[in-house]
Amino acid sequence: MDFETDLLNLTEDALIIRDFDDCIRFWNKGAERLYGWREAEAIGRNINDLLQEKLAPSFDGALRGDGEWTGELHQVTRDGRKVVVRSSVKVKRDKAGYPQCVLICNTDITQSKTLERQLLRAQSMATLGKLAGSVAHNLGNELALMLFSTRRLEEKEEDAETRRWLEMFRTGAEHSAGLIARLLTLARGSDDDYTQLHPQHVIREACEILHGVFPKSIEIRTSVPAGLSPITGNATDLRQVILNLCVNARDAMPDGGVLSVEAENNRCASGHDRLLIRISDTGAGMSPEVMTRIFEPLFTTKAADRGTGLGLFTVQRIVTSHRGSIEVSSELGRGTQFKIYLPASNSGLGLKSGGTAHAHEHTF
Ligand SMILES: Nc1ncnc2c1ncn2[C@@H]1O[C@H](COP(=O)(O)OP(=O)(O)OP(=O)(O)O)[C@@H](O)[C@H]1O
Ligand SMILES: [Mg+2]
């Protein structure tokens, strides 16, 4: 029996035996790991109470019938975590055919379930993105038409007051057209082309988008001087880095605050030139526990309809493929600062323009 128990403890799966009063008779190490209950605590307990199982209606019928059932179960662990398992259940009978106990093998599929859901969400987001892109496109055309007509009307109109109204109309339409044009550039997505680019254009463009869409309670301060070192990279990707960081900053300041976007030339300890982009907010900040996880894919502290947890993961991927590095500092209740360092084109460390980026771990 010892041999067998050792063997049963080797598997990651939770192997459980229960009797017909739902009382637990056997509980392997896999079950201890999955549910957090020690063997001594679990034996003798009612399994449905212990794991807060919601059994499928087919379950009892199947056990009474051919004595086998396979399906998904939702359970709760000792520390209150919800888990989903794929459960295979079989009734064990004695030689005379009387049911003796129920053998259970539960495989933890919580993570793949979450991934599946996230993937479905990401796919529908991509579809939505395309839809938004085509709406923006049509809207852009309509706006161009409106702008054209208003300008003609303004030229013809002699009454000063009417001209003022028309001018207001035109300014609004121009503003919207600009916004739409920038959205369209974003929706086109990234190509893998690395070229030499002037960061001030990219950063200023991103900030203009923010001015158009962020609430007025957030003050956006920018310091993007001329004369920043050119870098080799992809403009769409870089814009995404800045926007992702700024959107996170906005989310951290639901009651408003200051968002600063600053860029400057910088030299690292080994003497190589690099560009520093600093994005800081005066928002909620992060606890050290949250800080250690922010770059994990799918890690989010936001409600399911607000965050996918892919923002910083993407930021890190882009920065790494530009051979750059990221520094974060944050204080709960005070705010957060992200520093992005990117090698200057002339530093000898950056990418050759036109070359393909490989996700190098190289930081400097
Ligand atoms: N500026 C910030 N201030 C406070 N917390 C932040 C800040 N930026 C990131 N975080 C924390 O890091 C987590 C991960 O951020 P990330 O951008 O990867 O995902 P998300 O914003 O939750 O979702 P997504 O960006 O995919 O919509 C956030 O949920 C939040 O808890
Ligand atoms: Mg985010």
Side-chain angles (χ1 to χ4, degrees):
M1 182 63 194
D2 262 0
F3 247 167
E4 288 163 19
T5 312
D6 280 350
L7 196 62
L8 294 177
N9 280 333
L10 277 179
T11 171
E12 283 292 308
D13 292 337
L15 302 179
I16 304 166
I17 299 177
R18 68 166 176 82
D19 62 22
F20 279 88
D21 294 323
D22 295 337
C23 192
I24 297 169
R25 294 288 168 220
F26 176 83
W27 186 260
N28 78 336
K29 287 269 180 281
E32 288 191 345
R33 278 190 294 267
L34 175 57
Y35 301 114
W37 296 102
R38 317 287 306 168
E39 182 187 14
E41 296 165 320
I43 301 285
R45 293 280 301 269
N46 179 302
I47 187 167
N48 301 327
D49 292 346
L50 193 71
L51 302 179
Q52 303 174 36
E53 275 183 337
K54 289 179 197 63
L55 292 179
S58 60
F59 186 84
D60 280 331
L63 284 202
R64 270 197 298 276
D66 54 11
E68 282 186 28
W69 181 85
T70 308
E72 276 175 25
L73 289 177
H74 292 256
Q75 301 166 326
V76 178
T77 65
R78 181 181 192 156
D79 52 13
R81 217 163 27 89
K82 291 188 177 139
V83 289
V84 188
V85 297
R86 187 181 349 272
S87 186
S88 304
V89 179
K90 189 176 166 59
V91 172
K92 175 99 178 108
R93 295 172 196 276
D94 63 12
K95 287 206 181 73
Y98 284 110
Q100 280 187 307
C101 57
V102 184
L103 312 178
I104 304 168
C105 173
N106 289 342
T107 312
D108 184 7
I109 54 166
T110 316
Q111 210 169 8
S112 57
K113 276 277 151 193
T114 320
L115 274 173
E116 204 175 288
R117 267 203 309 277
Q118 299 276 10
L119 195 67
L120 280 176
R121 260 200 68 206
Q123 277 165 353
S124 56
M125 296 288 275
T127 317
L128 260 181
K130 275 190 202 144
L131 190 70
S134 87
V135 170
H137 188 79
N138 290 331
L139 214 57
N141 289 344
E142 301 293 339
L143 278 168
L145 213 66
M146 283 157 79
L147 275 172
F148 176 79
S149 335
T150 348
R151 275 189 205 117
R152 291 293 89 78
L153 275 175
E154 259 182 289
E155 281 162 16
K156 276 189 158 174
E157 182 58 52
E158 279 165 15
D159 177 45
E161 196 184 345
T162 316
R163 277 228 304 276
R164 262 208 312 283
W165 288 115
L166 281 170
E167 192 193 328
M168 256 168 75
F169 186 95
R170 180 174 47 80
T171 327
E174 269 167 6
H175 185 73
S176 313
L179 212 64
I180 296 273
R182 286 193 290 273
L183 271 179
L184 272 175
T185 334
L186 273 186
R188 261 200 292 279
S190 111
D191 31 26
D192 281 344
D193 276 353
Y194 279 60
T195 51
Q196 187 165 87
L197 42 96
H198 294 282
Q200 56 264 39
H201 297 317
V202 184
I203 302 171
R204 285 191 191 140
E205 210 177 45
C207 291
E208 267 179 62
I209 298 179
L210 301 178
H211 275 294
V213 294
F214 275 14
K216 293 284 166 282
S217 58
I218 292 179
E219 185 191 333
I220 306 175
R221 292 187 193 155
T222 49
S223 160
V224 188
L228 291 176
S229 315
I231 57 167
T232 307
N234 179 290
T236 314
D237 281 353
L238 275 184
R239 204 186 294 121
Q240 201 181 349
V241 166
I242 297 164
L243 291 178
N244 276 346
L245 292 175
C246 290
V247 168
N248 282 346
R250 180 204 59 191
D251 291 347
M253 299 188 287
D255 303 321
V258 182
L259 162 66
S260 313
V261 182
E262 299 153 294
E264 62 194 56
N265 291 331
N266 177 284
R267 182 163 288 174
C268 68
S270 51
H272 294 289
D273 286 328
R274 52 187 187 173
L275 171 76
L276 163 61
I277 304 173
R278 203 186 293 115
I279 293 177
S280 16
D281 65 65
T282 56
M286 290 176 264
S287 67
E289 294 75 46
V290 168
M291 284 262 275
T292 58
R293 303 196 53 195
I294 52 175
F295 295 109
E296 278 177 30
L298 307 182
F299 173 77
T300 180
T301 57
K302 296 170 192 172
D305 56 344
R306 297 287 316 266
T308 54
L310 289 173
L312 289 178
F313 175 68
T314 314
V315 165
Q316 192 180 42
R317 275 201 7 212
I318 295 175
V319 172
T320 310
S321 67
H322 282 73
R323 309 228 175 130
S325 58
I326 307 178
E327 281 173 17
V328 196
S329 54
S330 183
E331 204 180 322
L332 265 182
R334 312 240 13 195
T336 303
Q337 184 177 73
F338 279 85
K339 286 185 190 170
I340 308 285
Y341 294 98
L342 299 169
S345 293
N346 63 3
S347 68
L349 282 175
L351 295 149
K352 295 274 172 290
S353 62
T356 335
H358 299 287
H360 263 259
E361 276 311 312
H362 178 101
T363 55
F364 63 100

